[in-house]
Amino acid sequence: MLQMIIATVLMIVLFFGIGFILNMLMKTTWFPLYAFIALIIGVVIYGSIGEASFLSSGENFTIVDIIPAVGGLVGAILSGSAIKALRIRGFKMF
């Protein structure tokens, strides 16, 4: 249980940090959110190909797998919201 909480917080911080930097460099707002969604789609496609894949082996994602992923999604959304708020307040570097 403690590992799940730590992993969730780390995913939020990781995706917020990477998303914030990408938003600054690319002058976009929601690119990290799109990248996260593309990552999830890629994992699902990769997992459904072949006989020995993790989705076809009978093992499904559990709540311990899903909650850190949702934490990453929250971090990506927060990075876009932070950049948008900074732009609205007049910070030209963002």
Side-chain angles (χ1 to χ4, degrees):
M1 187 67 169
L2 181 62
Q3 290 92 350
M4 183 183 67
I5 294 169
I6 292 171
T8 304
V9 171
L10 285 175
M11 293 296 280
I12 290 171
V13 170
L14 178 77
F15 275 92
F16 179 82
I18 291 173
F20 194 85
I21 291 170
L22 283 175
N23 281 329
M24 282 193 305
L25 294 175
M26 297 179 66
K27 301 285 186 185
T28 63
T29 302
W30 299 112
F31 177 74
L33 180 63
Y34 301 142
F36 183 82
I37 292 170
L39 174 72
I40 296 299
I41 291 171
V43 166
V44 169
I45 289 172
Y46 177 74
S48 63
I49 296 174
E51 292 181 18
S53 67
F54 63 91
L55 290 178
S56 65
S57 65
E59 298 176 12
N60 293 325
F61 291 115
T62 62
I63 194 74
V64 177
D65 302 321
I66 294 172
I67 288 180
V70 170
L73 179 64
V74 168
I77 292 170
L78 286 176
S79 70
S81 299
I83 290 290
K84 190 172 183 179
L86 288 169
R87 287 184 185 147
I88 288 172
R89 290 187 175 89
F91 289 94
K92 300 295 180 192
M93 65 175 32
F94 301 114

